[in-house]
Amino acid sequence: MQPLTFGGDYRQAIRATLLVAPSPYANIFKIYTFLLPITLLLVQLRARTGLLGPWVVVAGIWLLDWIVLDHLPAPPVFAHFAGFLFGIGTSWGPSILHSLTLVVMGMTLGAAFFSPSRLTEKAEMHAARLWLGMATGLSLLLLGTKLGWFGLHGVLLRIADITQWRGDNDIGYYAYGLLSALGLLFLARSICIIAPQWVVTPLARIGGATLAYFFIGNALLLILPSLDWLPFWGKASFTVAFLVFCGGATLIWDQLRKAFPVLQTPVRVAQQMTGLLLGHRKSRTLSNP
């Protein structure tokens, strides 16, 4: 993807604002903008029905995809809009609708491994682990079936190429998403056990400020020139240095946020709104680990 230039991309910016075109290195924020309000409804549904309600929503999404969405052609002018919101066509993934699958998976992972210690919530943790076990088993079955159809090389190609499973909102992409999330979770847990505290602490702080990390990284990507002229090892070295730099910049931002409480005002307002929407007078303050 080519970075934006400052000369004549205002038309692209307008189209991206109207959701009729993608926005380079900013799509993650568009996804957050739509998913966060919907997630509040999912949290409220979970509070009333447990994880049964959210997983019924996920099942309904894939039933709708199988019966209707997968067969609809993308509209000519609003192809990006239809793909971004509903996964219609093969131009965008994960769509807002299909991404709810990943949200519910994350909700289940959190409830399965990070529930508080009260007795009632321990029961919820056991129920979440049961849901997680079923989702993991189904994901393994789906990927096993895909391996039988396409072979290992074909599956890896469809995962690596964002125009295939991801662009088509194929269910294999989401099955892989759950399994890779589990793998990364256990890897992170292993690092926390094995690595010294001076390594774990900054990594945990970066993990608690991923929105800032995305913002800093994407902003830098927009202004960086193309690196196609570099050899493979040059690109690899630059990638590692870039990730480390973004991590350091995120730690600086986290420190500034603590030193200047005014920077936390948007987060506090969002938390208060969340509490009101969920029917609570007070909302627990979120903090970095």
Side-chain angles (χ1 to χ4, degrees):
M1 184 178 294
Q2 294 297 321
L4 284 175
T5 58
F6 295 101
D9 285 306
Y10 65 91
R11 290 185 296 271
Q12 171 71 13
I14 293 172
R15 290 195 294 268
T17 303
L18 296 174
L19 295 181
V20 295
S23 46
Y25 303 117
N27 289 313
I28 185 69
F29 303 107
K30 286 197 326 191
I31 293 174
Y32 279 3
T33 300
F34 281 85
L35 277 184
L36 287 175
I38 300 173
T39 300
L40 294 177
L41 300 177
L42 281 177
V43 171
Q44 191 172 43
L45 179 63
R46 180 194 162 192
R48 296 186 177 187
T49 67
L51 284 168
L52 174 64
W55 278 107
V56 166
V57 170
V58 170
I61 288 170
W62 288 103
L63 185 62
L64 180 67
D65 177 86
W66 179 54
I67 296 175
V68 179
L69 298 178
D70 201 33
H71 306 287
L72 292 177
V77 177
F78 297 99
H80 177 70
F81 180 84
F84 176 73
L85 289 182
F86 304 111
I88 297 172
T90 59
S91 64
W92 180 270
S95 74
I96 296 300
L97 183 66
H98 294 83
S99 289
L100 294 179
T101 305
L102 299 175
V103 172
V104 174
M105 286 175 176
M107 187 183 291
T108 306
L109 276 169
F113 294 110
F114 303 106
S115 290
S117 57
R118 284 185 295 182
L119 216 59
T120 55
E121 288 167 339
K122 276 194 173 291
E124 291 177 4
M125 182 180 70
H126 292 310
R129 289 182 176 180
L130 184 61
W131 280 104
L132 181 60
M134 291 189 291
T136 303
L138 181 59
S139 296
L140 287 169
L141 179 62
L142 284 168
L143 279 185
T145 304
K146 300 282 189 181
L147 282 168
W149 287 346
F150 305 116
L152 179 60
H153 180 267
V155 167
L156 292 176
L157 177 65
R158 284 164 175 79
I159 291 171
D161 185 352
I162 64 172
T163 65
Q164 298 205 34
W165 277 4
R166 176 172 166 174
D168 196 29
N169 284 287
D170 189 279
I171 196 169
Y173 173 79
Y174 298 87
Y176 168 76
L178 174 60
L179 297 176
S180 59
L182 273 173
L184 289 171
L185 179 63
F186 285 116
L187 175 62
R189 182 59 182 163
S190 300
I191 291 173
C192 289
I193 294 172
I194 297 170
Q197 197 62 33
W198 62 269
V199 173
V200 173
T201 300
L203 289 178
R205 285 175 60 195
I206 293 170
T210 51
L211 189 60
Y213 188 90
F214 281 137
F215 177 80
I216 292 167
N218 288 346
L220 290 175
L221 286 174
L222 278 170
I223 61 176
L224 283 172
S226 173
L227 301 176
D228 289 340
W229 57 273
L230 283 176
F232 171 77
W233 289 112
K235 292 175 182 176
S237 301
F238 179 85
T239 300
V240 172
F242 180 79
L243 294 175
V244 171
F245 178 84
C246 290
T250 303
L251 291 174
I252 294 172
W253 162 257
D254 186 59
Q255 199 62 37
L256 289 173
R257 182 185 62 83
K258 293 176 180 177
F260 300 96
V262 68
L263 296 176
Q264 301 185 54
T265 301
V267 176
R268 289 193 181 120
V269 171
Q271 289 171 346
Q272 290 171 359
M273 290 179 63
T274 301
L276 290 172
L277 286 170
L278 296 179
H280 305 299
R281 291 186 178 180
K282 294 182 179 179
S283 182
R284 180 176 64 86
T285 301
L286 299 175
S287 60
N288 291 338

